């Protein structure tokens, strides 16, 4: 398994593409190794099947240019912060050894999202403790690892962001990756089965909201499209202040 620069955790396949899709596209384009670990297969989804979600996740991964993606197979609607589930997450963290981790939002409309955030943050802490022993897929003992930076991506409930990533240059790629999940989001090429209802995220108006929010946060940093994040353990130290502030703020 390759080590990663950035690892994103998600309660469901498509959470990252929906909320941080532009950011992961941009990171991959910049040459960073990026991966996603999905906790569930979306078994309770009103549209599509778990198998479809896996196929859609594979297509989205190719579009983004991910270095790795896996699914922990936890139960949708039942993402409990148990020691057993923590161990699954710890094993992934120690396997990929990312410098930066992206997480579900701490508060969201869907209970799975905040539950996944709680599970992730606890596991990230425990992953750094040497007394917690885990092994990799080949049975080799894993060394402790704790990422250097942890950020929450924004979901249905807004928060005051610590930073906004300018994703203007990869916006079309980001939308293509999101629409790979045709069973979940508005895609004119997808024909739902008669028993598949329209959902909160499958209608065209939701897709317009995604675009509108990206434009709103992009505007705050002088970009066309932006994705907001909350830094979990602030403040963070810098040694290259001009480098950190290299993005000019057009409106000040």
């Amino acid at each position: 398994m390759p080590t990663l620069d950035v690892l994103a955790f998600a309660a469901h396949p498509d959470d990252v593409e929906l909320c941080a899709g532009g950011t992961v596209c941009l990171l991959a384009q910049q040459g960073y190794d990026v991966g996603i670990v999905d906790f569930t297969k979306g078994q309770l989804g009103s549209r599509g099947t778990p198998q479809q979600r896996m196929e859609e996740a594979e297509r989205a991964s190719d579009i983004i240019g991910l270095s790795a993606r896996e699914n922990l197979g936890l139960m949708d609607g039942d993402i409990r912060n148990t020691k057993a589930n923590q161990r699954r997450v710890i094993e992934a963290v120690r396997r990929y050894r990312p410098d930066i981790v992206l997480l579900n939002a701490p508060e969201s409309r869907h209970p799975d999202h905040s539950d996944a955030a709680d599970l992730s943050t606890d596991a990230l802490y425990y992953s750094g403790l040497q007394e917690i022993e885990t092994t990799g897929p080949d049975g080799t003992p894993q060394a402790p690892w704790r990422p250097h930076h942890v950020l929450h991506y924004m979901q249905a409930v807004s928060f005051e962001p610590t930073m906004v990533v300018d994703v203007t240059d990869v916006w079309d790629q980001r939308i293509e990756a999101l629409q790979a999940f045709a069973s979940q989001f508005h895609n004119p090429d997808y024909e739902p089965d008669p028993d598949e209802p329209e959902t909160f995220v499958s209608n065209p108006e939701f897709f317009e909201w995604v675009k509108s929010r990206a434009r709103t946060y992009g505007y705050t940093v002088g970009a066309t499209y932006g994705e907001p994040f909350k830094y979990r353990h602030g403040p963070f130290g810098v040694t290259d202040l001009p480098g950190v502030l290299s993005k000019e703020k057009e409106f000040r």
Side-chain angles (χ1 to χ4, degrees):
M1 291 281 184
T3 57
L4 300 173
D5 298 302
V6 182
L7 177 61
F9 286 123
H12 314 102
D14 70 28
D15 284 354
V16 174
E17 285 82 356
L18 174 59
C19 305
T23 300
V24 292
C25 284
L26 186 64
L27 288 165
Q29 186 184 91
Q30 292 169 337
Y32 294 104
D33 290 320
V34 184
I36 295 176
V37 172
D38 299 309
F39 286 178
T40 77
K41 297 180 180 180
Q43 299 96 317
L44 297 183
S46 300
R47 293 161 64 96
T49 65
Q51 180 59 36
Q52 280 180 283
R53 299 287 285 273
M54 295 302 94
E55 294 169 357
E56 291 169 346
E58 186 174 348
R59 286 195 290 273
S61 299
D62 290 340
I63 293 167
I64 296 167
L66 294 180
S67 299
R69 187 170 201 155
E70 65 176 273
N71 193 295
L72 297 187
L74 304 184
M75 183 57 203
D76 194 12
D78 193 26
I79 302 177
R80 301 188 187 187
N81 191 4
T82 64
K83 293 301 179 185
N85 286 346
Q86 287 174 11
R87 180 169 291 273
R88 300 286 300 282
V89 179
I90 290 169
E91 289 170 353
V93 173
R94 291 177 172 180
R95 184 161 59 251
Y96 293 116
R97 303 174 72 82
D99 291 322
I100 299 170
V101 168
L102 311 179
L103 302 180
N104 285 97
E107 182 182 1
S108 184
R109 171 178 175 270
H110 195 317
D112 275 359
H113 297 157
S114 53
D115 287 347
D118 289 341
L119 171 59
S120 300
T121 52
D122 284 0
L124 288 172
Y125 178 80
Y126 291 129
S127 182
L129 300 182
Q130 64 179 2
E131 294 303 318
I132 295 180
E133 298 178 356
T134 57
T135 57
D138 60 355
T140 303
Q142 294 179 310
W145 183 262
R146 192 176 290 150
H148 301 107
H149 304 283
V150 178
L151 297 96
H152 293 281
Y153 46 82
M154 187 181 291
Q155 298 191 263
V157 178
S158 298
F159 51 66
E160 184 64 30
T162 309
M163 63 188 72
V164 175
V165 178
D166 181 351
V167 297
T168 306
D169 290 345
V170 294
W171 184 255
D172 290 342
Q173 180 187 2
R174 178 237 200 279
I175 292 299
E176 183 182 1
L178 182 60
Q179 288 196 311
F181 290 92
S183 68
Q184 304 303 304
F185 303 104
H186 174 65
N187 187 321
D189 296 328
Y190 180 74
E191 295 185 7
D193 290 337
D195 61 343
E196 291 185 331
E198 184 172 82
T199 68
F200 178 71
V201 301
S202 70
N203 62 81
E205 288 76 16
F206 178 81
F207 217 81
E208 287 302 310
W209 176 80
V210 171
K211 182 176 180 179
S212 297
R213 187 164 78 170
R215 292 199 63 127
T216 297
Y217 282 103
Y219 185 81
T220 65
V221 297
T224 304
Y225 297 106
E227 291 178 345
F229 293 87
K230 179 188 288 290
Y231 190 82
R232 184 165 180 82
H233 297 296
F236 54 90
V238 301
T239 56
D240 180 9
L241 187 60
V244 173
L245 300 178
S246 61
K247 171 66 179 173
E248 294 183 358
K249 188 157 185 176
E250 191 169 328
F251 306 106
R252 56 193 185 275

